[in-house]
Amino acid sequence: RFSCATAPGLSGELIAACGLLAPNPEDLPSGVSLGRLSDGAREWGYFTGPTPGSPNGSAHGARSLLSAPAPLSDHGTIVCVPEEGSVLRYTLDGRIPDQGSPVFNGPLTLPASSVITLRAFADDALPSPCASITIPAEGTSSFIAIRVDPDSLYDARRGILTGADAANYARSGRDWQRAAEVQWRQDDSTRCEEVRLAVSGSGTRGLAKKNFKLYGTSETMLRADATPHAFLRNLFLEAVAKKGAQVDVQPSTPAPLYVNGSYTGLYRAMPAKNSAWLRELSGAESLDLVDGPGAHALKGDDDKHERLLALLERGAPLDSLSELMEVESLLDLACFDLYSGRADHDLNTRCWRPREKGGRWRWILFDVDLWSPPEERTVERMCSSTAPEAPYLPWLLRHDALRPLLLARMSAWLATSLSGDRAAALADSLFTANTALMREDHARWKDELAMPSPDESISALRAHIAVRPRSILEQLSAHTGEALRKVTVRVVPAHAGEVAVEHLALTDTRRDFTAFAGAPMRYSATASPGYEFIGWQGGQNNATITVDPGEVRDLRAVFKRRDDAQ
């Protein structure tokens, strides 16, 4: 006697050996197998109950598998045509419909902030996969919607959001992931997928508004930004980093989140900062990924990381350090940590390297919400640490080669994207683009969280932008003994070209800023279309030069029209 039950992914050869004429097993839904309906028979069918080591006859089988419904929504009115011979049933709370759920008999109009889940049933057929539609608040064109059994969230024993004695939201691991469907809506485009849903993060687990992680085709973070000013601060530094930083930053997309039709607040969707994202980012086949102040290897090992720290601590030559790390990546991490003064910089540290010959360490910038007051003595605090903490500021400032590089890089950021005028303009543009989302989120959570209003958040950011540059320059000057100098860079004639400092766009007209004597800075001149670079007035003709602000404080990049240049 012979029995064959299959699982998704069974080879076509084995299906043929079983005498089955069946659809591609890769098309089977999760949890459904394919096999003979009875022991020794040639009839095939579908099964949801596994019977390992036993004939399929002991499990319930069906001759057909219904397709998932395809509902459509028009301004909250749901229409769906059932598959021939089937009946559609629905729920309105996120639960999976069963035989006792109401029958869907035609158009059904739902209010805003609701969800409907449809499933097809028929005789001698397994119920279809579910299909859900979330109706958002009026005027919402882009959003993220999660459909999940509410008992998976709030059941006292197994709910991942229950605040009972079990404190399930504080648990992690596969046992605390729950099956869910997610709908990604961007204007007229919709993408749906089945995922496993989990509470994520550490600092916000105990807050009412929690981070989530979605395990689907890829791992996606839904960041709650539940601490004061977190949303705008994270968005601001992410935008600054995109303007030439060598640290890696997860790109995020702000969107309202709905869970079972209920508005749950403003979230930022981003790839998880894991090896899959970094492999895609770098093209590396494998990598070493080190996390936390304890330098725990999440992927690969930390041998080369330990070697790097040992070299940094003893002040090894720059060329030896450059073989193991991308120097500017660590310098940029230090610049952003100094600018924000974030209090948890020692905890939120993660670095990685392609696991290949010549692979060098890079750093990831994340969780930059806990800023210090703009006048806080960050340099003194970070340099007084007794344990080695990224960005290893004491080691950087003691190193004869790294110190001037860090001072030059800090000056360059404060002259460009982190300067008072440009940073204020960026902050205002981000606030304008997200004001409505921020106000809606504040109204939802202000009674449950210590959440400043959106106006308070932009005011705090503007105040930091106005005060912090001068404060951090003076702190670094006092610590290193390097004097501050005023520098002026001009493009002559205006708009004929552009000057970059430390590879960051500086000006196409005139720019005045502060730099450190003894910390040479690299300048590069690039001509605009129709112009040609002639040289630096009173100096070199090379397009790229290195100048010590203690020696030269007035630079002019001179250009001419091509037809005027000889």
Side-chain angles (χ1 to χ4, degrees):
R1 301 201 311 164
F2 179 72
S3 175
C4 176
T6 73
L10 180 72
S11 69
E13 290 81 4
L14 184 53
I15 293 176
C18 292
L20 304 176
L21 298 175
N24 187 343
E26 294 181 358
D27 295 333
L28 291 175
S30 175
V32 175
S33 66
L34 183 67
R36 298 181 188 275
L37 282 172
S38 60
D39 189 28
R42 295 186 60 82
E43 290 183 294
W44 59 273
Y46 300 93
F47 300 86
T48 55
T51 57
S54 302
N56 288 335
S58 61
H60 172 71
R63 286 182 171 78
S64 63
L65 179 66
L66 296 172
S67 301
L72 297 174
S73 173
D74 183 12
H75 296 89
T77 298
I78 308 299
V79 294
C80 189
V81 178
E83 186 175 341
E84 186 176 356
S86 70
V87 173
L88 292 175
R89 296 182 180 274
Y90 71 94
T91 62
L92 298 175
D93 62 358
R95 286 183 168 82
I96 296 176
D98 57 26
Q99 290 281 11
S101 301
V103 175
F104 184 87
N105 283 320
L108 180 64
T109 300
L110 300 178
S113 297
S114 60
V115 65
I116 183 170
T117 305
L118 293 155
R119 196 181 190 195
F121 294 83
D123 294 336
D124 203 17
L126 293 185
S128 74
C130 294
S132 299
I133 287 184
T134 292
I135 309 301
E138 186 176 353
T140 304
S141 60
S142 299
F143 60 92
I144 304 165
I146 293 174
R147 197 285 308 158
V148 58
D149 186 332
D151 290 341
S152 294
L153 301 179
Y154 303 112
D155 179 79
R157 183 180 61 84
R158 60 184 298 273
I160 61 174
L161 294 183
T162 181
D165 292 340
N168 294 341
Y169 53 77
R171 305 188 187 188
S172 60
R174 184 63 182 261
D175 288 344
W176 294 98
Q177 299 170 11
R178 298 292 176 257
E181 298 172 49
V182 61
Q183 176 185 348
W184 308 90
R185 178 76 176 187
Q186 182 66 41
D187 298 325
D188 294 329
S189 174
T190 302
R191 178 173 63 89
C192 301
E193 65 174 323
E194 294 184 357
V195 299
R196 301 190 315 276
L197 173 71
V199 177
S200 184
S202 54
T204 57
R205 281 182 182 270
L207 298 179
K209 185 184 180 187
K210 295 174 174 58
N211 297 336
F212 294 108
K213 182 175 283 188
L214 306 178
Y215 297 87
T217 53
S218 59
E219 288 184 26
T220 301
M221 280 290 303
L222 298 181
R223 184 171 173 84
D225 291 324
T227 53
H229 309 309
F231 175 78
L232 208 52
R233 287 172 172 177
N234 277 293
L235 211 61
F236 173 79
L237 279 188
E238 177 191 335
V240 171
K242 290 178 180 178
K243 298 179 182 294
Q246 296 306 304
V247 288
D248 298 308
V249 181
Q250 301 149 281
S252 67
T253 302
L257 174 67
Y258 289 81
V259 177
N260 289 338
S262 176
Y263 172 70
T264 312
L266 172 60
Y267 279 73
R268 287 185 302 122
M270 62 182 69
K273 52 185 185 298
N274 58 13
S275 56
W277 170 58
L278 294 169
R279 285 197 304 270
E280 182 179 354
L281 192 69
S282 64
E285 292 185 3
S286 62
L287 48 85
D288 295 323
L289 178 60
V290 174
D291 180 70
H296 169 64
L298 298 178
K299 286 288 183 181
D301 59 55
D302 60 358
D303 292 346
K304 284 187 166 53
H305 184 257
E306 289 182 358
R307 181 185 171 200
L308 170 63
L309 294 190
L311 291 176
L312 274 170
E313 184 176 20
R314 72 167 185 256
L318 184 59
D319 57 355
S320 298
L321 295 171
S322 297
E323 289 180 0
L324 294 180
M325 72 172 180
E326 296 190 21
V327 173
E328 208 162 79
S329 182
L330 181 56
L331 297 182
D332 278 346
L333 180 69
C335 288
F336 289 129
D337 279 347
L338 285 168
Y339 182 81
S340 64
R342 60 172 174 162
D344 55 353
H345 70 92
D346 55 325
L347 300 177
N348 292 328
T349 174
R350 183 170 290 195
C351 61
W352 67 281
R353 62 176 287 275
R355 194 173 175 83
E356 57 191 33
K357 185 176 181 180
R360 298 188 296 166
W361 292 102
R362 291 178 58 92
W363 278 262
I364 302 172
L365 182 71
F366 64 99
D367 283 5
V368 286
D369 52 336
L370 296 181
W371 292 19
S372 296
E375 296 282 11
E376 192 255 358
R377 307 300 296 176
T378 306
V379 174
E380 181 181 343
R381 169 170 59 83
M382 292 177 66
C383 286
S384 65
S385 172
T386 57
E389 300 170 349
Y392 315 113
L393 189 63
W395 297 346
L396 295 178
L397 293 179
R398 282 201 307 263
H399 198 285
D400 289 340
L402 291 175
R403 181 178 59 255
L405 293 179
L406 174 59
L407 296 179
R409 189 67 173 170
M410 189 79 250
S411 298
W413 278 114
L414 295 177
T416 57
S417 298
L418 290 177
S419 64
D421 57 340
R422 294 186 190 177
L426 174 61
D428 287 346
S429 69
L430 293 172
F431 180 69
T432 299
N434 294 281
T435 298
L437 293 174
M438 294 174 67
R439 294 198 191 288
E440 186 179 27
D441 181 75
H442 181 256
R444 167 63 181 84
W445 289 106
K446 62 183 176 66
D447 295 331
E448 299 177 60
L449 296 171
M451 178 174 283
S453 71
D455 292 322
E456 290 172 314
S457 286
I458 186 59
S459 294
L461 182 54
R462 287 172 181 151
H464 191 98
I465 288 168
V467 174
R468 191 59 171 177
R470 168 55 60 181
S471 174
I472 207 65
L473 287 170
E474 290 177 348
Q475 290 181 48
L476 287 170
S477 177
H479 185 88
T480 63
E482 303 289 0
L484 295 172
R485 295 287 185 263
K486 290 290 186 181
V487 176
T488 298
V489 175
R490 295 179 175 88
V491 172
V492 182
H495 310 300
E498 184 175 45
V499 173
V501 58
E502 297 296 318
H503 306 300
L504 304 174
L506 180 64
T507 186
D508 64 352
T509 54
R510 171 179 171 156
R511 194 75 172 165
D512 300 302
F513 61 96
T514 302
F516 295 89
M521 305 184 74
R522 294 167 293 177
Y523 298 90
S524 300
T526 305
S528 298
Y531 286 86
E532 182 176 331
F533 176 66
I534 299 302
W536 301 92
Q537 184 171 311
Q540 305 177 46
N541 294 328
N542 295 331
T544 298
I545 59 174
T546 300
V547 176
D548 187 336
E551 300 174 0
V552 179
R553 285 181 277 176
D554 193 347
L555 282 171
R556 300 188 183 205
V558 181
F559 300 84
K560 285 188 177 181
R561 288 193 178 275
R562 288 188 183 278
D563 52 358
D564 295 337
Q566 301 298 322

